[in-house]
Amino acid sequence: MKLRVSEAAKLLQAGGVVAFPTETVYGLGAVLRSPRAVRRIFAVKGRPSDNPLIVHVSSLSQFRLLTRNAPASAFRLARKFWPGPLTLVCRKSRKVPGTVTAGLNTVAVRMPNHPVALALIRKLKEPLAAPSANRSGRPSPTRYGHVVRELGGRVDGILDGGASKVGLESTVVDLSSRPPRLLRPGSVSAETLRGYLPDLEVAGRLKKSGAAPSPGMKHRHYRPDCRVLEAAPENWEALCARWGKKAVKLGAIACRRRLVRTPNLVFAKISHKNGADYARKLYHHFYEAEKKGVQVLIVETLPARGIGHAFRDRLRRASGSRG
Ligand code: TXA
Ligand code: MG
């Protein structure tokens, strides 16, 4: 039988770790006041200890308690986009333990737009620290079944909230120093944010010096258990034809492409309603391709506009290229 919100809240209050749905991806939650539970999140995921967690809130007053000297722009953005897929990084208050922020003096906060997540945090009456509910380096789960596959048996419970509507992780913007910086693209785009933050900078990728603007940027991410190849639309047919001749189990996913059928093609999803629908299902297709034993997965990329920025970022990392 599936877990109820009230049962999940009890497990969390007792210092447990419970996975829950959000509109972006599923998260693995623990209450901030239990250092043991927060440490368990890192252990269960195999997450590097220098990669901080996002704190999930259900009210602006919780945001106020967690942060110190948050700029006016933070409240403007929160009022406009919360609940929603936007994470704000601000200086942290003493209420936030260093275990959650990996020792940083800033904290990342967001209010998820999912009825189950909001009901859970309201029931708890306290915020929930949660990274995505996958093993470190792997694609983020966007359905209950994905979490079972990733973490089943290693967590105290999993709440089912159906398929995540966005399907890619939240936009992360750092407001703790000037100018504000976009650390991770998501469905709230840089263009939209510039309406509120005219001097927004897009953080460069990892520099050779090794100093990453956000701890998460230096770790490997989003990779399924197969080789992922990015295909620009104009390369799609040639790439499918070339890999179609090789002795590998091939998979292909695209927004809208003609299928090049070859004997080794074991998995194909090539028609989606639009870019947002395609982005929503990207990680689901990763998990499905794995189940089919795909060894090489060709993935059509999206144009660099709207959700396309986030999609391209995740695809680039899933394919292993850092450039
Ligand atoms: O959509 C999401 O954001 C999902 C759902 C569950 O809310 N969560 C998520 O968490 O994607 P996670 O841990 O997989 O990614 C959090 C990102 C990491 O790249 C981390 O480095 C960054 O946020 N981050 C967290 N705290 C930070 C801080 N204080 N300063 C800079 N980056 C931070
Ligand atoms: Mg993650």
Side-chain angles (χ1 to χ4, degrees):
M1 210 184 52
K2 288 194 176 152
L3 197 63
R4 280 196 294 260
V5 168
S6 55
E7 295 164 334
K10 277 198 193 118
L11 290 167
L12 287 162
Q13 270 154 352
V17 295
V18 173
F20 62 97
T22 85
E23 82 281 27
T24 56
V25 301
Y26 277 66
L28 177 62
V31 292
L32 276 69
R33 64 182 154 74
S34 169
R36 233 189 89 234
V38 173
R39 278 199 296 270
R40 247 185 91 201
I41 288 183
F42 285 89
V44 163
K45 281 183 57 99
R47 185 179 179 97
S49 58
D50 64 350
N51 197 1
L53 310 180
I54 293 177
V55 180
H56 296 72
V57 298
S58 62
S59 68
L60 266 182
S61 52
Q62 286 175 338
F63 172 68
R64 231 174 255 122
L65 283 175
L66 295 166
T67 55
R68 195 160 57 90
N69 299 336
S73 58
F75 292 93
R76 271 200 298 277
L77 289 167
R79 286 206 177 87
K80 174 71 186 168
F81 294 101
W82 285 359
L86 177 66
T87 297
L88 304 175
V89 175
C90 295
R91 291 178 68 185
K92 78 172 193 70
S93 74
R94 285 219 294 262
K95 296 240 182 272
V96 187
T99 40
V100 169
T101 64
L104 297 177
N105 59 8
T106 55
V107 61
V109 187
R110 97 175 180 98
M111 190 190 295
N113 187 14
H114 193 292
V116 174
L118 288 172
L120 179 64
I121 303 165
R122 284 189 190 126
K123 187 106 202 156
L124 283 167
K125 299 194 179 67
E126 59 185 312
L128 257 188
S132 50
N134 50 280
R135 279 177 281 130
S136 193
R138 304 248 315 138
S140 300
T142 55
R143 300 182 186 206
Y144 175 83
H146 303 163
V147 185
V148 174
R149 194 175 158 82
E150 286 295 295
L151 303 177
R154 306 165 80 176
V155 297
D156 299 308
I158 306 170
L159 281 165
D160 188 356
S164 296
K165 291 214 164 67
V166 178
L168 296 178
E169 304 79 359
S170 62
T171 305
V172 180
V173 57
D174 184 358
L175 303 172
S176 69
S177 55
R178 298 217 64 87
R181 282 188 310 169
L182 182 82
L183 299 181
R184 181 172 73 182
S187 72
V188 178
S189 68
E191 301 91 85
T192 305
L193 288 173
R194 285 214 174 88
Y196 302 81
L197 304 167
D199 53 346
L200 181 72
E201 264 185 6
V202 175
R205 285 180 220 116
L206 185 60
K207 298 203 181 75
K208 285 228 171 65
S209 68
S214 170
M217 288 174 113
K218 65 174 186 252
H219 299 294
R220 58 169 281 179
H221 272 307
Y222 318 120
R223 287 196 211 168
D225 191 17
C226 59
R227 182 165 166 201
V228 174
L229 301 176
E230 290 180 63
E234 63 274 20
N235 298 335
W236 170 263
E237 292 204 8
L239 211 54
C240 290
R242 172 141 53 88
W243 282 91
K245 294 192 199 108
K246 303 203 181 189
V248 292
K249 283 191 181 175
L250 188 63
I253 67 176
C255 190
R256 275 176 187 276
R257 287 289 128 202
R258 211 165 56 82
L259 188 58
V260 184
R261 223 178 259 290
T262 53
N264 64 347
L265 189 73
V266 297
F267 176 80
K269 297 284 172 196
I270 48 120
S271 173
H272 295 81
K273 271 186 240 146
N274 48 43
D277 180 48
Y278 180 44
R280 178 183 311 133
K281 293 182 182 144
L282 176 69
Y283 295 148
H284 178 58
H285 293 330
F286 280 179
Y287 284 111
E288 292 295 296
E290 277 186 1
K291 280 198 221 161
K292 291 267 160 61
V294 167
Q295 293 165 302
V296 173
L297 182 65
I298 301 174
V299 185
E300 183 195 7
T301 190
L302 279 177
R305 56 169 185 268
I307 192 71
H309 290 289
F311 186 94
R312 293 164 74 95
D313 171 70
R314 307 309 190 269
L315 182 55
R316 193 187 313 115
R317 289 161 190 268
S319 68
S321 47
R322 281 182 152 196

